[in-house]
Every structure is written in C-alpha cells, then in structure tokens.
Amino acid sequence: MVYDLRRIILKYFNSEFSFPDVPTTYSAIESTFGAVYKKPVLDSKQKFLLLSWPGITFAFSMPVPTPQSAAMSLPPQITGDMEEEYKTKIVLKRVMLYCGGSCQKAEVPEVPPSCCHGNCFAEQVQVEKEGDYVTKTTVLLKSEVGQRRGASDRMVHKEVVLCFGGSVQDVLSSLGAPAKVFYKDVDKMRIHLKDKHKKLVSQHSDYFFNYFTLGMDVLFDAVTHCAKKFVLHTNYPGHYNFGMYHRCDFVITLRDEDDKTIRLTPSTKWSELHLGQTEEEPYYLKRNPSTNVVNPFGSSQCFGSGNLIFEVMENGYIASVTIFSPYLNN
C-alpha cells in the first residue's frame, strides 16, 4: 500500500500520472488507466471512494460537504458517469496493490521459479505426535526445475519425513546439503550429564545442519551421527536471530489442560496456549555479545511440554520450537 504520495512519482507504462507537488485527481487516474474495470465504491467508514482495476485500487478522499457545495455531494447510486467537475474535486490519497480480482479477495501469489536461485524452500512443516511426544516431522518442500541455474521453468513439490535416529545420509537425501554446518565447540549443558557420559562427550562435538531457507536446524549426535533434535524458527523481529532464517511455517497440534485441540503456528502467541503439562517456572536464555556482535535484545524464556521446548520473547511471540528425541534419556 502506498499511503504517502508526496514522496514518490507514479508511472503507468511511459505515462507519469502522480507527482509529489501536484494533487492527483479522479480525472487523471481515469484518463491514464482507461475504462473503469468496476464501478466506484464508497467506503463510508474511511470516507474513501475506491476505484479499481485488476490488481490495483485507488482510494480518493471525499470533499467536505458545505451548504454551498451540497449539489456536489456524491449521489447514493454511484456510477462511472460522474460529472467532470466532481472528478476534479476528489484527490488521490492511497494506492493498494494486490494479487487477485479485488482488494477484499486478495491472495498470496505463487513465488516465481526464478526467485529460488537454486534454493529449496518449505511450504509447510507438519509435526506429528504419538501420545504425549512428537515422533516425526513432515516437510513439504518446493524447489525450481530447469535446464540450467537461473533459467527455471517450473516448481516441483516433494514431501519428506524426518525421524529421530535418522542418519546423516537420511537427512541429506531428504533435505539436501545444508547451508552451513555448525559444531558445538563449547557445550555448556554438559554439566547436566551423568559422570560416566561427560568424558565420552568431551572427546566429540555434536553438530548442526543449518537450513536457513527452510527455517530449521537439525542436531546430530557426535557419537552415533543420528538426528536427535530439530529446531524450527519463526524469524520474528526483535529476536537475536532475526533475518538469519526464513520463517518455518510449522503446524503443531497440541492438547490444552481442558483436553481441547490447539493448532500451533508461527503466528500463535504464548498467551493463547494453556498447556497443563508446561513447566510453571521458565528457564531464561540470554545470548551474550561476542566479537563484533552486540545483542541489543533481552533474554527470552524457555518453556517445556513433552519433548517440545518453546522459546518465547518478551513480546509474547514464539521465537523457536525445539523438538528433541524422547529417547535421549534411554
């Protein structure tokens, strides 16, 4: 939406029709775009007159009625055959661009294959539970297909299933090569391990496969090289990792304390969840600044439910969902 026309110049093909220092009238828009696609619609709530073509709607401000200009007021039956004198009185205030036949029925367009640039994206990530624990994650992938890179002609869709205990080869064959591999050189959680495991773990390092375009990470065990944790990122502003990952459009079906079904998505706020088995006192996660990296954000809170860990920001939105293997303790 364009709401401040004083800062830009609008052009349709080679014809400029809106300038910062000159008010754009109804007549100027009509002469530029030709015959009206739909008859003007009066938005009585916002006091706008809406003039639409496929994919674009112009909102004109209505003149303030006065006793002298009562004859110029808009008639109840709005038609495209308004008087030219009236068309010069109403001025363009907003421009709305969208995909679809009308502004009220706008829809999200498909991403063109040329925008993928060789990357793979996730349309949706479905998290499936068996009893109280999550056992597998289904990822709906989409990618470009073409003769050569940069000349894609279509998109392909594929469904893959990630399970705990899957090998590195299983994950690579399902998701492809990761964008980055991160090794946990310092594992501060080793203090919680039993004594007999500390020496074994200290000789190896767990590692992550980072899939930035999928919005997720996969953690592998250093000894068995099997997947033991999945991290799903929401990429909300105000988080330490904002802008690093694409948003992971996950869907997790949970049960609240009243045994009602809850559909958890990246847009769900933590206050909307009422999970009876959630820990009352959260753990606090504080990412300390490092070299040339400053953390201006506060600490986040981590809540546990089953084998799920929810990282919640100060504004109440979920920053990430970590799914760990329910068989770790075994």
Side-chain angles (χ1 to χ4, degrees), residues 246-280:
H246 284 237
R247 172 172 293 186
C248 180
D249 291 323
F250 55 80
V251 177
I252 306 176
T253 304
L254 303 172
R255 292 279 184 178
D256 63 5
E257 53 189 4
D258 297 328
D259 202 30
K260 295 181 180 179
T261 302
I262 303 176
R263 182 182 173 91
L264 177 64
T265 64
S267 59
T268 305
K269 296 195 68 173
W270 181 249
S271 58
E272 301 174 11
L273 301 178
H274 301 281
L275 305 178
Q277 67 270 34
T278 304
E279 298 289 344
E280 294 183 359

Coordinates of all heavy atoms in Angstrom, one line a residue, residues 246-280:
H246 N 14.6 -18.1 7.1 CA 13.3 -17.9 6.7 C 12.3 -18.4 7.7 O 12.6 -19.2 8.5 CB 13.0 -18.6 5.3 CG 13.7 -18.0 4.2 ND1 12.9 -17.6 3.0 CD2 14.9 -17.6 3.9 CE1 13.7 -17.0 2.2 NE2 15.0 -17.0 2.7
R247 N 11.1 -17.9 7.7 CA 10.1 -18.3 8.7 C 9.7 -19.8 8.3 O 9.4 -20.1 7.2 CB 8.9 -17.4 8.7 CG 7.7 -18.0 9.5 CD 6.6 -17.0 9.6 NE 7.0 -15.9 10.4 CZ 6.1 -14.9 10.8 NH1 4.9 -15.0 10.5 NH2 6.6 -13.9 11.5
C248 N 9.7 -20.6 9.3 CA 9.3 -22.0 9.2 C 7.8 -22.1 9.5 O 7.4 -21.9 10.6 CB 10.1 -22.9 10.2 SG 9.7 -24.6 10.0
D249 N 7.0 -22.4 8.4 CA 5.6 -22.4 8.6 C 5.2 -23.8 9.1 O 4.7 -24.7 8.4 CB 4.9 -22.2 7.2 CG 5.1 -20.8 6.8 OD1 5.0 -19.9 7.6 OD2 5.3 -20.5 5.6
F250 N 5.4 -24.0 10.4 CA 5.1 -25.3 11.0 C 3.6 -25.3 11.5 O 3.0 -24.3 11.8 CB 6.0 -25.6 12.2 CG 6.1 -24.5 13.2 CD1 5.1 -24.4 14.2 CD2 7.1 -23.6 13.3 CE1 5.2 -23.5 15.2 CE2 7.2 -22.6 14.2 CZ 6.2 -22.5 15.2
V251 N 3.1 -26.5 11.7 CA 1.8 -26.7 12.3 C 2.0 -27.9 13.3 O 2.3 -29.0 12.9 CB 0.8 -27.1 11.2 CG1 -0.6 -27.4 11.8 CG2 0.6 -26.0 10.1
I252 N 1.7 -27.5 14.5 CA 1.8 -28.5 15.6 C 0.4 -28.6 16.3 O -0.1 -27.6 16.8 CB 2.9 -28.1 16.6 CG1 4.2 -27.8 15.9 CG2 3.0 -29.2 17.7 CD1 5.3 -27.4 16.9
T253 N -0.1 -29.8 16.4 CA -1.4 -30.0 17.1 C -1.2 -30.4 18.5 O -0.5 -31.5 18.7 CB -2.2 -31.0 16.3 OG1 -2.4 -30.6 15.0 CG2 -3.6 -31.2 17.0
L254 N -1.7 -29.7 19.5 CA -1.5 -29.9 20.9 C -2.8 -30.1 21.6 O -3.9 -29.7 21.0 CB -0.6 -28.8 21.5 CG 0.8 -28.6 20.9 CD1 1.4 -27.3 21.6 CD2 1.7 -29.8 21.1
R255 N -2.8 -30.5 22.8 CA -4.0 -30.6 23.7 C -3.7 -29.7 24.9 O -2.7 -29.7 25.5 CB -4.2 -32.0 24.2 CG -4.6 -33.0 23.0 CD -6.1 -32.8 22.8 NE -6.5 -33.8 21.8 CZ -7.7 -34.0 21.3 NH1 -8.7 -33.2 21.9 NH2 -8.0 -34.8 20.4
D256 N -4.7 -28.8 25.2 CA -4.6 -27.9 26.3 C -5.0 -28.7 27.6 O -5.3 -29.9 27.6 CB -5.4 -26.7 26.1 CG -6.9 -26.9 26.0 OD1 -7.3 -28.0 26.1 OD2 -7.6 -25.9 25.7
E257 N -5.0 -27.9 28.7 CA -5.4 -28.5 30.0 C -6.8 -29.0 30.1 O -7.2 -29.8 30.9 CB -5.1 -27.5 31.1 CG -5.7 -26.2 30.9 CD -5.2 -25.1 31.9 OE1 -4.3 -25.5 32.7 OE2 -5.7 -24.0 31.9
D258 N -7.7 -28.4 29.2 CA -9.1 -28.9 29.1 C -9.3 -29.9 28.1 O -10.4 -30.2 27.7 CB -10.0 -27.6 28.8 CG -9.9 -26.6 30.0 OD1 -9.7 -27.0 31.1 OD2 -10.0 -25.4 29.7
D259 N -8.2 -30.5 27.5 CA -8.2 -31.5 26.5 C -8.9 -31.0 25.2 O -9.5 -31.8 24.5 CB -9.0 -32.8 27.0 CG -8.6 -34.0 26.2 OD1 -7.5 -34.1 25.7 OD2 -9.5 -34.9 26.1
K260 N -8.7 -29.8 24.9 CA -9.1 -29.2 23.6 C -7.9 -29.1 22.7 O -6.8 -28.9 23.1 CB -9.7 -27.8 23.8 CG -11.0 -27.8 24.7 CD -11.6 -26.4 24.8 CE -12.8 -26.4 25.6 NZ -13.4 -25.0 25.8
T261 N -8.2 -29.3 21.4 CA -7.2 -29.3 20.4 C -6.7 -27.8 20.1 O -7.5 -26.9 19.9 CB -7.7 -29.9 19.1 OG1 -8.1 -31.2 19.4 CG2 -6.6 -29.9 18.0
I262 N -5.4 -27.7 20.1 CA -4.8 -26.4 19.8 C -3.9 -26.5 18.6 O -3.1 -27.5 18.5 CB -3.9 -25.9 21.0 CG1 -4.7 -25.8 22.3 CG2 -3.3 -24.5 20.6 CD1 -3.9 -25.4 23.5
R263 N -4.1 -25.6 17.6 CA -3.3 -25.6 16.4 C -2.2 -24.5 16.5 O -2.5 -23.4 16.5 CB -4.2 -25.4 15.2 CG -3.5 -25.4 13.9 CD -4.5 -25.1 12.7 NE -3.8 -25.0 11.5 CZ -3.6 -25.9 10.6 NH1 -4.0 -27.1 10.9 NH2 -3.0 -25.7 9.4
L264 N -1.0 -25.0 16.8 CA 0.1 -24.0 17.0 C 0.8 -23.7 15.6 O 1.2 -24.6 14.9 CB 1.1 -24.6 17.9 CG 2.4 -23.8 18.2 CD1 2.0 -22.5 18.9 CD2 3.4 -24.6 19.1
T265 N 0.9 -22.4 15.3 CA 1.6 -21.9 14.1 C 2.6 -20.9 14.5 O 2.6 -20.4 15.6 CB 0.6 -21.4 13.1 OG1 -0.1 -20.3 13.7 CG2 -0.5 -22.5 12.7
P266 N 3.4 -20.4 13.6 CA 4.4 -19.3 13.9 C 3.7 -18.0 14.4 O 4.3 -17.2 15.1 CB 5.1 -19.1 12.6 CG 5.0 -20.4 11.9 CD 3.7 -20.9 12.2
S267 N 2.4 -17.8 14.1 CA 1.8 -16.6 14.5 C 1.0 -16.7 15.8 O 0.4 -15.7 16.3 CB 0.8 -16.1 13.4 OG -0.2 -17.1 13.2
T268 N 1.1 -17.9 16.4 CA 0.4 -18.1 17.7 C 1.2 -17.4 18.8 O 2.4 -17.6 18.9 CB 0.3 -19.6 18.0 OG1 -0.4 -20.2 16.9 CG2 -0.5 -19.8 19.3
K269 N 0.5 -16.7 19.7 CA 1.2 -16.1 20.9 C 1.2 -17.1 22.0 O 0.3 -17.9 22.1 CB 0.5 -14.8 21.3 CG 0.6 -13.7 20.2 CD 0.2 -12.4 20.8 CE 1.2 -11.9 21.8 NZ 1.0 -10.5 22.2
W270 N 2.2 -17.0 22.9 CA 2.3 -17.9 24.0 C 1.1 -17.8 25.0 O 0.6 -18.7 25.6 CB 3.5 -17.6 24.8 CG 3.7 -18.5 25.9 CD1 3.7 -18.2 27.3 CD2 4.0 -20.0 25.9 NE1 3.9 -19.3 28.0 CE2 4.1 -20.4 27.2 CE3 4.1 -20.9 24.8 CZ2 4.3 -21.7 27.5 CZ3 4.3 -22.2 25.2 CH2 4.4 -22.6 26.5
S271 N 0.5 -16.6 25.1 CA -0.7 -16.4 25.9 C -1.9 -17.1 25.5 O -2.8 -17.4 26.2 CB -1.0 -14.9 26.0 OG -1.3 -14.3 24.8
E272 N -1.9 -17.5 24.2 CA -3.1 -18.3 23.6 C -3.0 -19.8 24.0 O -4.0 -20.5 23.8 CB -3.1 -18.1 22.1 CG -3.3 -16.7 21.7 CD -3.2 -16.5 20.2 OE1 -3.2 -17.6 19.5 OE2 -3.1 -15.4 19.7
L273 N -1.9 -20.2 24.5 CA -1.7 -21.7 24.8 C -1.9 -21.8 26.3 O -1.4 -21.1 27.1 CB -0.3 -22.1 24.4 CG 0.1 -22.0 23.0 CD1 1.5 -22.5 22.8 CD2 -0.8 -22.8 22.1
H274 N -2.6 -22.9 26.6 CA -2.8 -23.3 28.0 C -2.5 -24.8 28.2 O -3.4 -25.6 28.1 CB -4.3 -23.0 28.4 CG -4.7 -21.5 28.3 ND1 -4.3 -20.5 29.2 CD2 -5.4 -20.9 27.3 CE1 -4.8 -19.4 28.8 NE2 -5.4 -19.6 27.6
L275 N -1.2 -25.0 28.3 CA -0.8 -26.4 28.3 C -0.6 -26.8 29.8 O 0.2 -26.3 30.5 CB 0.5 -26.6 27.6 CG 0.5 -26.1 26.1 CD1 1.9 -26.3 25.4 CD2 -0.6 -26.9 25.3
G276 N -1.4 -27.8 30.2 CA -1.3 -28.2 31.6 C 0.0 -28.8 32.0 O 0.4 -28.6 33.2
Q277 N 0.7 -29.4 31.1 CA 2.0 -30.1 31.5 C 3.2 -29.2 31.3 O 4.3 -29.6 31.5 CB 2.2 -31.3 30.6 CG 2.4 -31.1 29.1 CD 1.1 -31.0 28.3 OE1 0.1 -30.6 28.8 NE2 1.2 -31.5 27.1
T278 N 2.9 -27.9 31.0 CA 4.0 -26.9 30.8 C 4.6 -26.6 32.1 O 3.9 -26.4 33.1 CB 3.6 -25.7 30.1 OG1 3.0 -26.0 28.8 CG2 4.7 -24.7 29.8
E279 N 6.0 -26.4 32.2 CA 6.6 -26.0 33.4 C 6.1 -24.6 33.8 O 6.1 -23.7 33.0 CB 8.1 -26.0 33.2 CG 8.7 -27.4 32.9 CD 8.7 -28.3 34.0 OE1 8.5 -27.8 35.2 OE2 8.9 -29.5 33.8
E280 N 5.9 -24.5 35.1 CA 5.4 -23.2 35.6 C 6.5 -22.1 35.6 O 6.3 -21.0 35.1 CB 4.8 -23.3 37.0 CG 3.6 -24.2 37.1 CD 3.0 -24.3 38.5 OE1 3.6 -23.6 39.4 OE2 2.0 -24.9 38.7

